[in-house]
Amino acid sequence: MLTTETKSLNELESSSGQKTPTLTDGMHLVVDALKLNGIDTIYGVAGIPITDLTRLAQAEGIRYIGFRHEQNAGNAAAIAGYLTRKPGICLTVSAPGFLNGLVALANATTNGFPMIQISGSSDRAIIDLQQGDYEELDQMNAAKPYTKAAFRVNKPEDIGIGVARAIRAAVSGRPGGVYLDLTAAVLGAVLDADAGKNSLVRVVDPTPRQIPAPESIERALDLLASAQRPLIILGKGAAYAQADADIRSFIEKTGIPYIPMSMAKGLLPDDHPQSAAAARSLVLGQADVVMLIGARLNWLLAHGKPPKWSPTVRLIQVDISPTEMDSNRPIAAPVVADIGSAMSALLSKLKPGQIQPQSAWIKAIGERKQKNVEKMEARLNANPSPMNFSSALRAIRDVLNTRPDIYVVNEGANSLDFTRDIIDMREPRKRLDVGTWGVMGIGMGYAIGAAVTSGKSVVAIEGDSAFGFSGMEIETICRYSLPVVTIVFNNGGIYKGTDINFNGGADPAPTVFVSNARYDRLIEAFGGNGHHVTDQQSLTKALTDALASGKPALINCVIDPKAGTESGHIGNLNVTTKIGPRK
Ligand code: ADP
Ligand code: TZD
Ligand code: MG
């Protein structure tokens, strides 16, 4: 018996006067399908028509983490996907809840994080005739342009296939965001328990290996062997691949200098002698052969073009996505494969002594590194009052150096740039930041996702503007007692707190916030520990105590409102005009 009647299981069971173990419903099937595929956590916001689904999931042993806004639930799911290589699940209500989650889903797609947004939706017949249903929206079609795949389940017996397709789409090839629409009718539909059970699908090998063509490996090694000034660039795809030992071994065996993109920091420890991060502009400008491993030649790498890059550079790209090749510059040696398979093939074909960077190259990098490190040390050793970004980060660095296991979440403009440069990472996949879009708002979602999946401590280093996008999730962090320490770099605004209103009126300038705001008091409202710090010593103590307690804490870290620069390191991307006092 298959029926799509929307009588609830409870109603049917009580009308028959006894428990009818032969029936199930859409919600039970969704939970069963997720569990069958090893999904153990859902991040979401409850409401019509999914409230009972959240309760049922929790009752059935799936951990449910309830948020205050869907975007943050989505960001938590996305980063959980990045860290675990299993799709992170975000559950949302119809229309507005769905749209709130969609930014996170689009961000997951852009960054290549495996995530599934599951959303309840209203009555198809009413939506399609635009008759004004409660939270009416054609969600699947709205999701399509922003996702790797979008599916809608219209029959309860298709739930198993729908979940299976969503999982495979999220994690295979280049991972990404997938939308799965479950109509209220499907969620409430009752059907025969055996038929339901038989319709479930356990996905076999959802992330199949993609073995490189042997000739692509030879071509790549030959090109590297011909190089005098080779360079490797590691991106977050390399971190995601979890081929840490082989990547390190290839770098060490070939002696090639490397730079990590921001989320690949820690894949090899940042203090590795072959890291050329502190000589970044030199190596990008002068390398004659560059091997990209899980990194795209997008804006973050100046599209691989002069003046930042040599006009004659030849490129090797290791990537799972065949269409990534030649996206910005011709790729002389494409290696289309999953990075794990590619690295082991490269290692097995590498002949001893085959690849030898010029010693002058290594020496030039060493000299530039030393010069830049000395410059940075001088900034770090200053102790101005009020603190600036460097002096605050000096204190934080010294504490975090003792705890390489800690996750660092980071967003803002100056708060982002200074942190990325100053805080060394020593373990893979421990730095989680604004990624490909440079998006604000990932902070508390990523922090929660990392803490929930790992059980480990997280330090979120946040610009005061950046923090505001997800700040209400401080309550979520307190509610679940997560070991998250949020440091708000409070410079009173976007980039800085000193802008003036050229109109001369009473309104503050567009980039300015309430000065001397006490973000620390927000967390106290929910039972967490607030700290207000104005100097290095009290910052060191607050962070040390907060980490030792393992409890939710927020450190309001007062930074000189004059300290930042417009847009941090990417001011060159601004569109500007002349503005002066009104005549
Ligand atoms: P970054 O921002 O760190 O430079 P990007 O997100 O631009 O990194 O690039 C990551 C690349 O890694 C993407 O092109 C993606 O296709 C690729 N990628 C992701 N996972 C894998 C994998 N397992 N094997 C190979 N390539 C991968
Ligand atoms: N909205 C979204 C979703 N993403 C964005 N990147 C922006 C707006 C624009 N934006 C930036 O690019 S950085 C930033 C905004 C609003 C905040 C910078 O201020 P902050 O950091 O306080 O977080 P600093 O340390 O003051 O520079
Ligand atoms: Mg700020």
Side-chain angles (χ1 to χ4, degrees), residues 261-285:
M261 300 301 288
S262 67
M263 281 179 61
K265 275 167 67 78
L267 190 42
L268 278 73
D270 275 339
D271 56 3
H272 193 283
Q274 283 172 257
S275 169
R280 185 184 167 93
S281 51
L282 173 96
V283 291
L284 284 184

Side-chain angles (χ1 to χ4, degrees), residues 389 415 463-466 489-497 513:
F389 293 98
S415 300
D464 49 351
S465 165
F489 277 164
N490 186 352
N491 65 348
I494 299 177
Y495 315 135
K496 43 170 62 187
F513 297 152

Side-chain angles (χ1 to χ4, degrees), residues 124-432:
R124 295 281 339 137
I126 302 179
I127 292 173
D128 288 349
L129 269 174
Q130 297 175 37
Q131 293 173 308
D133 202 0
Y134 169 71
E135 298 196 340
E136 170 183 303
L137 186 77
D138 182 1
Q139 294 169 194
M140 183 183 68
N141 286 306
K144 260 184 195 159
Y146 308 108
T147 51
K148 209 180 147 190
F151 305 104
R152 179 165 54 232
V153 178
N154 291 298
K155 296 188 281 187
E157 62 270 32
D158 285 343
I159 287 171
I161 281 289
V163 168
R165 297 206 72 188
I167 289 172
R168 197 177 280 287
V171 294
S172 60
R174 174 187 288 167
V178 174
Y179 177 61
L180 183 63
D181 193 288
L182 300 176
T183 65
V186 162
L187 288 170
V190 172
L191 70 162
D192 179 83
D194 280 340
K197 191 166 174 231
N198 292 334
S199 71
L200 298 181
V201 179
R202 196 178 69 79
V203 183
V204 177
D205 194 14
T207 316
R209 288 199 299 152
Q210 300 197 18
I211 313 292
E215 62 274 21
S216 72
I217 295 296
E218 298 292 346
R219 199 185 290 123
L221 289 173
D222 287 348
L223 188 49
L224 277 178
S226 75
Q228 302 191 316
R229 297 180 305 284
L231 173 70
I232 288 174
I233 299 180
L234 300 173
K236 59 172 133 38
Y240 177 79
Q242 300 196 10
D244 311 340
D246 277 358
I247 289 172
R248 182 169 186 156
S249 168
F250 185 76
I251 287 176
E252 290 181 344
K253 282 195 170 137
T254 58
I256 300 174
Y258 75 95
I259 54 174
M261 300 301 288
S262 67
M263 281 179 61
K265 275 167 67 78
L267 190 42
L268 278 73
D270 275 339
D271 56 3
H272 193 283
Q274 283 172 257
S275 169
R280 185 184 167 93
S281 51
L282 173 96
V283 291
L284 284 184
Q286 297 191 9
D288 61 351
V289 173
V290 175
M291 180 182 214
L292 299 155
I293 306 180
R296 286 170 286 186
L297 276 183
N298 56 16
W299 70 280
L300 288 160
L301 283 171
H303 304 281
K305 293 186 178 152
K308 289 240 161 102
W309 290 60
S310 155
T312 54
V313 68
R314 287 171 304 161
L315 294 158
I316 301 162
Q317 185 160 27
V318 185
D319 204 291
I320 202 159
S321 169
T323 52
E324 190 54 40
M325 306 300 156
D326 310 320
S327 62
N328 285 269
R329 281 196 75 164
I331 302 299
V335 178
V336 176
D338 76 87
I339 286 166
S341 302
M343 296 321 293
S344 69
L346 286 161
L347 276 169
S348 75
K349 293 288 171 205
L350 178 69
K351 299 181 211 66
Q354 184 185 7
I355 292 167
Q356 263 168 359
Q358 235 180 26
S359 56
W361 176 232
I362 305 298
K363 186 158 164 267
I365 295 170
E367 283 167 5
R368 180 68 69 91
K369 268 172 74 172
Q370 197 184 340
K371 201 172 111 200
N372 287 343
V373 167
E374 279 164 13
K375 262 199 239 162
M376 174 173 310
E377 282 305 318
R379 281 198 301 270
L380 290 176
N381 287 334
N383 189 3
S385 179
M387 285 185 283
N388 59 23
F389 293 98
S390 296
S391 66
L393 281 160
R394 158 78 199 261
I396 295 169
R397 181 191 74 169
D398 290 348
V399 176
L400 293 187
N401 273 348
T402 65
R403 291 289 306 273
D405 59 311
I406 282 176
Y407 285 87
V408 174
V409 170
N410 185 205
E411 60 177 336
N414 297 279
S415 300
L416 177 87
D417 295 330
F418 281 94
T419 302
R420 186 183 52 234
D421 291 350
I422 294 171
I423 302 294
D424 276 353
M425 305 306 297
R426 292 190 170 75
E427 293 183 6
R429 294 169 293 283
K430 288 287 160 83
R431 184 184 154 85
L432 312 170

Side-chain angles (χ1 to χ4, degrees), residues 77-132:
I79 213 65
Y82 171 72
L83 292 172
T84 63
R85 291 167 63 91
K86 283 197 295 190
I89 308 291
C90 172
L91 184 59
T92 61
V93 304
S94 359
F98 156 80
L99 285 172
N100 280 344
L102 194 55
V103 172
L105 190 65
N107 187 57
T109 305
T110 301
N111 282 282
F113 300 156
M115 165 183 171
I116 302 171
Q117 182 177 343
I118 301 178
S119 192
S121 60
S122 310
D123 189 304
R124 295 281 339 137
I126 302 179
I127 292 173
D128 288 349
L129 269 174
Q130 297 175 37
Q131 293 173 308

